Amino acid sequence: MTDGSSSSFFPDFGLLLYLEELNKEELNKFKSFLKNETVEPRSCQIPWVEVKKAKREDLANLMKKYYPGEQAWDVALKIFGKMNLKDLCERATAEINWTARTMVTEGARTQEEQDDQEAVQSDGTEYRIQIKEKFRIMWDKKCLFGGPEDFHPGIAQEDRELLEHLFDVDVKTGEQPQTVVLQGAAGVGKTSLVRKAIVDWAEGNLYQQKFSYVFYLNAREINQLRERSFVQMISKDWPSTEGPIERIMTQPSSLLFIIDSFDELNFAFEEPDFVLCEDWTQVHPVSFLMSSLLRKVMLPESFLLVTTRLTACKKLKPLLKNQHSVELLGMSKDARKEYIYQFFEDKKRASQVFSSLRSNEMLFSMCKVPLVCWAICTCLEQQIEMGGDVSLTCKTTTALFTRYISSLFPPVDGNCPSLPNQTQLKSLCHLAAKGVWTMTSVFYREDLRKHGLTKSDVSIFLDMNILQKDTEYENCYVFTHLHVQEFLAAMFYMLRDNWETRNNLFDSFEDLKLLLESKSSKDPHLMQMKCFLFGLLNEDLLKQLETTLKCRLSLEIKGKILQWLEILGNIKCFPAELEFLELFLCLYETQDEAFISQAMRSFQKVVIDVCGKVHLLVSSFCLKHCQCLQTIKLSVTVVFEKMLNSSPPAEMWQKDDGSIIHCWQDLCSVLHTNEHLRELDLCHSNLDELAMKTFYQELRHPNCKLQRLLMRFLSFPGGCQDIASSLTHNQNLMHLDLKGSDIGDDGVKSLCEALKHPECKLQNLSLESCDLTTLCCLNISKALIRSQSLRFLNLSTNHLLDDGVKLLCEALGHPKCHLERLSLESCGLTVAGCEDLSLALISNKRLTHLCLADNILGDDGVKLVNDALKHPQCKLQSLVLRRCHFTSLSSEHLSSALLCNKSLIHLDLGSNWIQDDGIKLLCDAFRHPSCNLQDLELMGCVLTSMCCLDLASAILNNSHLQNLDLGHNDLRDDGVKILCEALGHPNCNIQRLGLEYCGLTSLCCQDLSYTLRSNQNLIKINLKQNTLGYEGMMKLCEVLKSPECKLKVLGVCKEAFDEEAQKLLEAVRISNSHLIIKRDYNDDDEDGSWWRCP
């Protein structure tokens, strides 16, 4: 030990700090070793009585008393060694040695006071000077933007404010974030901002009260390191005059580590937690150190500021704990406009360029990145000077970048030695493609060599400003921007010679199918490359590139893409909204109408969620060329919000240069240009009055063949006169669904006028949840008498009440009423309205389906309905009495009605208090030969296993019964066992069986297996929310694999089972191609849900 070091360091609480790190068990062990410890020659043992009862502070004082000076520290280190506390030993030794080297003797000051004073006063002035010098060059405007010298936006004021508040305490949680992630697109300014942060800190303008030291770690430099300790990693900028850096590492809560460009780190970060390192002095692979720092294993009290591209967030997120994420959006719209107007001296040119870019939201969005904005402006300036059409170049991102890439190639003058040849270009594009796939944007000399790029090859691309060499970090190369890399990556697929042949060196990313099947939700980094690839299918752009680059590009890929789209269009499971939008984004880039028509000819249905101008632009363009579509499901949100909030909305349309209205008109024109289109779903759209008028105009077009129109949950700012007018103009329209829209009584009045018109051919009308009241019922009643076409009317979930239903019943009893199906679910109907309804059912010879669900009818109300059912003139086929608040007292009336009525085939009695006694009475009717019931729903009727004998008897004796739903009843295994005996009988004709949430376990699965094997009619069974377990599933799966089992749909939630049971189900799915296993089991039979899904 260094002379005097321990005596200088030890007094008062130096040792106490280390004793505080011992847990209770370790402290007792320390005392036990201390009991027998002596230091020669004259020291004596501390009395055990005092040691045993001493707390940590008392123990430190005792050691100071009995082992003065360095002796106490020697004893402590010796005991730490015996206890195998290696980390404590090493840290204490390092601190003692540091104190010995930096100690300045002051007679009146104790050693402890000196250490504390040094810790406070060591403000790192030399380190701050070093940091300012290092980053000084970063703020040269030419280095930052490479743009015009008279314009430099620098760090925006909002970004400066963002920096200041990154580590503020969260007002909601009261906690200060320890890890902040600054995320954003490539080139948006993340690196500039964090470098500004460290310079501001060094100058004393930022984080002075938060962090004593800030360290900057750049991915490009880290990638070139191998093994070292973390303290060595951060020592590169540490001046020797500051003293050992280890001193500040003992106070990690005052340290901020900036990890810049996480997305560029070449590490998998797959190390298990147990191999990570806590010790910042130990040498490890750099990947381990970075993983340990990010996961808060090393220096957990320190603060982190991590920058990353959005595409790498998925990789970063699992490493961090309680991170706070902030997205850097780049230049605002106003900043982009200012940039463009300052770039062009000629204001007329500036206006032309700005207008062209503004019309293409994708390009204008790219201009958020300063370097891209400058490159685009430079490219367009050159084109204007050559007399080119800027608006055509700005049509697509591919067109603009084709122009930009072409501008980087020197003009052909017969023989230009600096122009890259086909082989060099192919090697560069291969490098670009692999980089995009692996999210690699920084390449090292070895990467270039592996792709066949020699030093001279690289020099050509450096001279052309396609590649750039990093001036800060040796051996690093990047493409001038990510979009340049993505464009060249797309070119790689066009440079392929033969798509039919593959060699052993074939990389997975060379598989075109993988790229085509990629989705932005899973592989966002591939989307722009895919768009560029489709854009390069445009023959004009391809020829332009071939001429400029002096190379041969193949269109063989075009046929491959068409084959893939044909397969995609023919699959039964339609892609999601997002996938169609991605496809349209790609197809739009081609600007090839014939190709789009060919590409979409296999699609009969598209589902699109338009939530931005870009979506509207590409959807309107592509849908015009989808000539085989039969169904379009379209939700339009956000696009018209500003217009809805503006006053008047027409001004906003004009301010947008007409681009939105033009796109909307194009999209709506599909209604009359597509002769196959039969269904349009506009549900959940947010359209203003002008947009709606445009839509109605196309709906009324004589060539519009639309038959089904769904406008659920819409607002009608101009009222319902236009939609009503459309009903009389469009005689093809037979189905209109306005569920959840703000129709109201006034709107219904307009619709009823149309229904009365002889030219209106509407057959199905849904006004569910349209805020209707009794007031509208007189208009509806008159329309029902006058309409020759209306067959179905859904008035569910409206406040019609008994008085309103009374008015409707007057129409139902009229001989000219042609209505066949009526839903009055949840309309406030009570027993008072049932008498009128009963009379109407008797006199109406056409009404076949009636839904009265969710009305408080009670036993008395149900009796009145049953009286009508008994009448021979009643032609009702389907009756829904779910949640009508009746009890087993109604069973007798229902039973007698079933015996009298020859037409009723569907009966829903679900969610009523029928109980076992009531079912017994009903089963007397079910068993009778005159009962023609086919579908019986008894969900949630408070049944137990006691009623199963009666149900089994009904199943055996009723040859008509095909569908039986007993879900949400406490049948249990015993009850199902009884049912299974009947279900397995040859006389049983049950095809669909519902047993959801019936308290079943694995014990009933043998009986169910028997049923599935013996019943050749059973095709659907719902077993959800039962605890069947692995054993039960094993029994079921055995029979499900058997050819004797004819089941087509099994309702179970796979996720509810353990891993082994899930494997059994997966094996069944593979072996039995006819079986569908679904968690969202529902009966798609029309009779079972007609009133819900008209």
Side-chain angles (χ1 to χ4, degrees):
M1 185 172 292
T2 307
D3 290 343
S5 64
S6 57
S7 61
S8 302
F9 175 75
F10 176 75
D12 290 337
F13 61 86
L15 178 59
L16 177 58
L17 293 175
Y18 285 85
L19 292 177
E20 291 282 2
E21 293 195 33
L22 303 179
N23 59 35
K24 187 174 181 181
E25 184 181 344
E26 288 172 337
L27 182 64
N28 290 333
K29 196 172 181 180
F30 184 93
K31 289 179 179 180
S32 179
F33 279 115
L34 188 62
K35 176 181 178 182
N36 301 315
E37 197 63 54
T38 59
V39 180
E40 298 297 340
R42 295 189 299 275
S43 62
C44 58
Q45 293 179 0
I46 306 175
W48 172 244
V49 176
E50 293 188 51
V51 172
K52 186 176 182 181
K53 67 180 182 179
K55 296 180 180 178
R56 287 174 174 81
E57 187 176 354
D58 298 330
L59 188 61
N61 289 331
L62 283 171
M63 292 181 71
K64 175 186 172 183
K65 177 180 177 181
Y66 283 90
Y67 306 124
E70 66 272 15
Q71 292 181 15
W73 201 236
D74 288 337
V75 169
L77 289 175
K78 189 175 179 182
I79 295 175
F80 286 160
K82 289 179 179 180
M83 293 173 65
N84 201 27
L85 299 175
K86 186 180 177 182
D87 177 59
L88 232 55
C89 281
E90 290 177 352
R91 283 196 286 120
T93 304
E95 191 154 6
I96 292 168
N97 291 337
W98 184 89
T99 305
R101 289 194 299 270
T102 58
M103 180 180 60
V104 178
T105 305
E106 296 182 19
R109 182 184 293 174
T110 65
Q111 185 66 39
E112 177 211 355
E113 289 170 343
Q114 181 182 346
D115 286 344
D116 289 344
Q117 191 67 24
E118 284 180 359
V120 172
Q121 291 182 351
S122 182
D123 59 0
T125 302
E126 292 297 323
Y127 175 64
R128 290 171 185 258
I129 294 171
Q130 177 88 355
I131 288 297
K132 285 187 285 184
E133 180 64 24
K134 175 177 178 178
F135 290 101
R136 176 180 55 82
I137 194 171
M138 301 304 166
W139 299 102
D140 186 298
K141 59 185 177 184
K142 292 180 182 178
C143 290
L144 273 173
F145 294 97
E149 294 186 8
D150 61 337
F151 177 62
H152 171 224
I155 302 298
Q157 181 60 34
E158 56 264 32
D159 291 337
R160 292 177 187 274
E161 293 174 3
L162 174 69
L163 275 180
E164 293 174 6
H165 300 291
L166 282 179
F167 291 94
D168 284 358
V169 173
D170 190 317
V171 292
K172 294 181 180 179
T173 63
E175 297 179 357
Q176 182 181 10
Q178 274 198 297
T179 301
V180 174
V181 178
L182 191 62
Q183 58 195 34
V188 82
K190 303 180 295 295
T191 293
S192 298
L193 195 59
V194 294
R195 287 178 172 178
K196 173 64 176 170
I198 194 169
V199 169
D200 279 1
W201 169 81
E203 291 175 344
N205 299 324
L206 186 67
Y207 301 149
Q208 299 308 295
Q209 304 304 315
K210 286 187 173 75
F211 309 119
S212 301
Y213 294 92
V214 179
F215 294 94
Y216 178 81
L217 300 167
N218 185 277
R220 297 183 188 181
E221 185 175 10
I222 294 170
N223 283 337
Q224 299 187 69
L225 303 177
R226 294 295 175 259
E227 290 193 354
R228 59 193 58 210
S229 68
F230 183 71
V231 77
Q232 288 172 330
M233 278 181 65
I234 63 171
S235 296
K236 62 185 185 304
D237 297 319
W238 188 259
S240 58
T241 53
E242 287 284 1
I245 196 172
E246 287 83 358
R247 175 64 177 174
I248 67 167
M249 300 296 285
T250 60
Q251 300 173 33
S253 61
S254 65
L255 304 180
L256 170 64
F257 297 102
I258 296 174
I259 303 172
D260 190 18
S261 302
F262 169 84
D263 50 281
E264 294 181 4
L265 288 172
N266 294 334
F267 308 140
F269 292 104
E270 295 174 348
E271 303 87 356
D273 288 344
F274 67 85
V275 305
L276 299 179
C277 50
E278 300 178 11
D279 191 345
W280 37 266
T281 66
Q282 288 184 356
V283 174
H284 287 283
V286 173
S287 59
F288 278 42
L289 298 178
M290 294 307 299
S291 192
S292 301
L293 182 68
L294 288 165
R295 297 189 198 181
K296 289 290 183 184
V297 173
M298 180 192 294
L299 301 169
E301 298 90 358
S302 66
F303 289 79
L304 302 177
L305 175 56
V306 186
T307 72
T308 183
R309 291 181 183 174
L310 295 168
T311 49
C313 289
K314 190 176 178 181
K315 180 180 178 182
L316 174 62
K317 190 175 180 180
L319 303 176
L320 306 179
K321 296 177 181 176
N322 303 319
Q323 80 273 16
H324 172 60
S325 296
V326 178
E327 185 173 351
L328 203 59
L329 299 174
M331 291 196 294
S332 66
K333 290 180 180 179
D334 290 339
R336 280 173 266 171
K337 184 176 181 179
E338 182 186 354
Y339 188 109
I340 293 165
Y341 273 83
Q342 291 198 33
F343 183 95
F344 293 94
E345 294 180 2
D346 185 335
K347 299 307 175 190
K348 187 177 179 181
R349 284 189 177 184
S351 178
Q352 181 188 4
V353 168
F354 179 74
S355 178
S356 296
L357 289 172
R358 196 70 184 87
S359 65
N360 187 328
E361 196 70 19
M362 291 171 283
L363 273 178
F364 192 60
S365 181
M366 284 182 172
C367 289
K368 290 178 180 178
V369 178
L371 180 59
V372 175
C373 192
W374 171 81
I376 288 174
C377 288
T378 303
C379 174
L380 295 177
E381 183 181 41
Q382 292 173 0
Q383 189 175 8
I384 291 172
E385 290 173 354
M386 294 168 62
D389 189 342
V390 170
S391 62
L392 285 177
T393 303
C394 292
K395 198 87 172 170
T396 66
T397 57
T398 311
L400 191 138
F401 273 88
T402 297
R403 175 69 62 177
Y404 176 71
I405 294 294
S406 298
S407 72
L408 299 179
F409 280 70
V412 178
D413 56 1
N415 183 23
C416 183
S418 61
L419 202 65
N421 59 41
Q422 180 111 357
T423 302
Q424 292 168 326
L425 193 60
K426 188 182 288 187
S427 296
L428 182 72
C429 291
H430 191 268
L431 174 76
K434 187 169 185 178
V436 171
W437 273 93
T438 58
M439 289 188 282
T440 303
S441 58
V442 181
F443 303 95
Y444 300 90
R445 194 167 295 149
E446 181 63 18
D447 299 319
L448 302 177
R449 187 191 63 78
K450 285 180 180 178
H451 285 80
L453 291 166
T454 64
K455 190 174 182 180
S456 60
D457 297 337
V458 173
S459 296
I460 294 173
F461 294 117
L462 288 171
D463 293 340
M464 295 172 65
N465 205 27
I466 291 176
L467 284 179
Q468 284 183 344
K469 189 173 183 180
D470 197 307
T471 56
E472 298 173 52
Y473 304 106
E474 188 181 356
N475 195 28
C476 292
Y477 298 85
V478 294
F479 288 89
T480 48
H481 189 269
L482 177 62
H483 294 325
V484 173
Q485 181 181 346
E486 290 166 333
F487 187 90
L488 294 170
M491 276 182 58
F492 162 73
Y493 294 93
M494 311 299 290
L495 287 163
R496 282 286 304 272
D497 294 323
N498 193 335
W499 283 96
E500 301 301 332
T501 59
R502 295 186 182 185
N503 55 41
N504 294 331
L505 300 176
F506 185 87
D507 286 316
S508 60
F509 72 85
E510 296 181 40
D511 188 345
L512 177 65
K513 189 169 180 282
L514 288 179
L515 176 59
L516 295 175
E517 291 178 350
S518 63
K519 300 175 181 62
S520 64
S521 55
K522 187 179 179 183
D523 304 301
H525 57 289
L526 301 178
M527 266 309 295
Q528 188 58 57
M529 176 175 65
K530 188 158 72 166
C531 282
F532 281 145
L533 175 62
F534 274 77
L536 289 174
L537 299 179
N538 183 292
E539 294 187 23
D540 292 336
L541 295 181
L542 201 69
K543 287 175 183 176
Q544 182 183 331
L545 277 176
E546 286 185 325
T547 303
T548 307
L549 277 58
K550 305 293 286 183
C551 68
R552 183 175 53 81
L553 299 170
S554 171
L555 275 175
E556 182 187 346
I557 196 173
K558 206 169 188 176
K560 299 290 180 187
I561 292 174
L562 287 173
Q563 287 176 16
W564 171 72
L565 286 169
E566 186 177 1
I567 294 169
L568 187 65
N570 286 321
I571 60 174
K572 291 182 180 179
C573 183
F574 291 109
E577 297 95 323
L578 195 61
E579 293 175 42
F580 270 117
L581 272 175
E582 288 175 14
L583 176 58
F584 283 177
L585 281 165
C586 292
L587 291 174
Y588 178 81
E589 286 290 319
T590 69
Q591 289 295 297
D592 186 337
E593 297 178 5
F595 175 77
I596 296 173
S597 296
Q598 209 174 352
M600 295 299 296
R601 65 185 176 185
S602 299
F603 291 88
Q604 295 184 357
K605 178 180 179 180
V606 294
V607 184
I608 314 163
D609 186 3
V610 176
C611 52
K613 285 176 64 177
V614 173
H615 298 159
L616 183 61
L617 172 70
V618 300
S619 298
S620 63
F621 183 81
C622 294
L623 284 173
K624 286 190 300 182
H625 308 296
C626 300
Q627 294 301 316
C628 297
L629 285 180
Q630 295 180 14
T631 303
I632 299 176
K633 185 175 182 181
L634 180 70
S635 176
V636 185
T637 57
V638 179
V639 181
F640 298 103
E641 274 188 0
K642 288 183 180 178
M643 298 177 186
L644 287 167
N645 296 328
S646 68
S647 181
E651 291 180 5
M652 187 61 71
W653 287 86
Q654 293 168 357
K655 286 180 183 178
D656 194 64
D657 299 325
S659 61
I660 288 182
I661 190 168
H662 179 71
C663 291
W664 180 242
Q665 285 171 339
D666 275 354
L667 195 152
C668 292
S669 70
V670 174
L671 292 178
H672 78 264
T673 58
N674 188 329
E675 62 179 346
H676 299 288
L677 190 64
R678 295 294 180 268
E679 179 175 343
L680 176 65
D681 184 341
L682 270 177
C683 298
H684 298 280
S685 291
N686 194 3
L687 305 173
D688 68 1
E689 189 171 349
L690 288 173
M692 292 294 271
K693 282 188 178 297
T694 302
F695 169 72
Y696 293 135
Q697 186 177 347
E698 297 297 333
L699 186 63
R700 290 194 289 266
H701 195 283
N703 292 335
C704 177
K705 301 291 192 295
L706 205 66
Q707 295 177 0
R708 289 172 57 88
L709 177 59
L710 284 73
M711 301 180 75
R712 294 181 175 183
F713 304 102
L714 261 66
S715 175
F716 291 85
C720 293
Q721 291 88 348
D722 285 317
I723 185 65
S725 172
S726 300
L727 294 179
T728 58
H729 282 80
N730 189 330
Q731 296 186 21
N732 295 303
L733 197 62
M734 295 185 291
H735 180 115
L736 178 62
D737 187 347
L738 299 172
K739 177 182 177 179
S741 297
D742 60 345
I743 304 299
D745 295 332
D746 291 337
V748 168
K749 184 176 181 180
S750 299
L751 290 169
C752 287
E753 288 301 316
L755 288 170
K756 290 186 283 186
H757 198 284
E759 297 296 319
C760 177
K761 305 301 180 184
L762 198 69
Q763 295 181 9
N764 295 346
L765 176 62
S766 175
L767 296 172
E768 182 179 351
S769 303
C770 285
D771 201 24
L772 311 184
T773 70
T774 305
L775 296 176
C776 74
C777 291
L778 182 59
N779 288 315
I780 295 175
S781 182
K782 290 178 180 179
L784 289 176
I785 295 170
R786 296 276 300 276
S787 174
Q788 298 297 304
S789 60
L790 196 65
R791 297 293 182 269
F792 170 85
L793 180 62
N794 187 348
L795 296 172
S796 300
T797 321
N798 287 296
H799 204 54
L800 306 184
L801 306 180
D802 293 321
D803 290 340
V805 172
K806 180 181 177 70
L807 292 169
L808 294 175
C809 287
E810 291 177 9
L812 290 174
H814 197 282
K816 288 188 177 181
C817 177
H818 294 273
L819 202 67
E820 296 175 359
R821 300 185 178 200
L822 175 64
S823 177
L824 296 172
E825 179 178 0
S826 190
C827 284
L829 180 65
T830 70
V831 63
C834 288
E835 189 168 350
D836 297 302
L837 194 59
S838 179
L839 293 172
L841 290 174
I842 293 170
S843 58
N844 189 307
K845 296 180 175 59
R846 294 188 178 95
L847 195 69
T848 58
H849 293 63
L850 177 64
C851 176
L852 300 175
D854 237 339
N855 288 295
I856 306 176
L857 306 185
D859 292 314
D860 292 337
V862 171
K863 181 182 184 301
L864 290 169
V865 174
N866 286 327
D867 289 343
L869 287 174
K870 293 176 187 176
H871 201 282
Q873 287 186 225
C874 179
K875 303 301 180 183
L876 213 59
Q877 296 175 14
S878 179
L879 177 62
V880 180
L881 295 173
R882 182 174 297 190
R883 293 185 302 276
C884 283
H885 299 263
F886 60 87
T887 68
S888 57
L889 296 177
S890 295
S891 297
E892 187 174 350
H893 301 297
L894 280 165
S895 183
S896 60
L898 287 171
L899 292 174
C900 296
N901 190 296
K902 306 303 180 185
S903 60
L904 197 69
I905 57 174
H906 172 257
L907 180 62
D908 185 348
L909 303 176
S911 300
N912 288 294
W913 203 265
I914 296 177
Q915 299 181 287
D916 296 334
D917 291 342
I919 286 296
K920 184 178 180 64
L921 291 170
L922 287 171
C923 284
D924 289 339
F926 298 154
R927 284 192 293 263
H928 200 278
S930 63
C931 179
N932 294 318
L933 207 63
Q934 295 177 12
D935 307 312
L936 177 60
E937 299 187 46
L938 296 170
M939 282 185 67
C941 288
V942 202
L943 310 181
T944 71
S945 58
M946 298 296 292
C947 72
C948 289
L949 276 172
D950 295 300
L951 285 169
S953 175
I955 290 171
L956 285 174
N957 290 284
N958 188 330
S959 60
H960 303 289
L961 196 62
Q962 296 176 359
N963 306 318
L964 178 62
D965 194 342
L966 298 169
H968 293 261
N969 287 297
D970 194 28
L971 305 184
R972 300 189 177 265
D973 298 326
D974 293 342
V976 169
K977 182 181 179 65
I978 296 168
L979 291 175
C980 284
E981 290 177 7
L983 290 165
H985 196 278
N987 289 348
C988 175
N989 292 317
I990 294 290
Q991 296 178 11
R992 298 172 179 84
L993 178 64
L995 293 172
E996 179 179 355
Y997 199 52
C998 285
L1000 310 184
T1001 71
S1002 60
L1003 296 177
C1004 73
C1005 290
Q1006 190 64 47
D1007 300 303
L1008 286 171
S1009 297
Y1010 161 75
T1011 299
L1012 293 174
R1013 193 183 299 275
S1014 56
N1015 190 320
Q1016 301 296 294
N1017 297 311
L1018 191 62
I1019 55 173
K1020 287 187 177 183
I1021 187 168
N1022 187 1
L1023 296 173
K1024 284 173 58 181
Q1025 298 190 67
N1026 289 294
T1027 54
L1028 304 180
Y1030 172 75
E1031 290 184 8
M1033 195 49 61
M1034 187 166 59
K1035 294 172 184 175
L1036 287 176
C1037 287
E1038 184 179 347
V1039 71
L1040 289 172
K1041 291 180 183 178
S1042 170
E1044 296 174 287
C1045 177
K1046 304 303 180 184
L1047 201 69
K1048 292 181 180 178
V1049 179
L1050 171 64
V1052 292
C1053 178
K1054 284 194 264 189
E1055 292 75 14
F1057 294 93
D1058 61 27
E1059 188 176 346
E1060 293 303 313
Q1062 288 186 42
K1063 287 180 181 177
L1064 290 174
L1065 285 167
E1066 181 61 20
V1068 167
R1069 187 190 67 80
I1070 294 170
S1071 63
N1072 188 344
S1073 59
H1074 301 291
L1075 181 67
I1076 299 172
I1077 301 172
K1078 51 196 296 188
R1079 61 183 301 174
D1080 55 341
Y1081 178 99
N1082 52 42
D1083 194 349
D1084 298 324
D1085 181 70
E1086 186 185 3
D1087 287 336
S1089 57
W1090 62 266
W1091 74 98
R1092 297 184 186 281
C1093 306

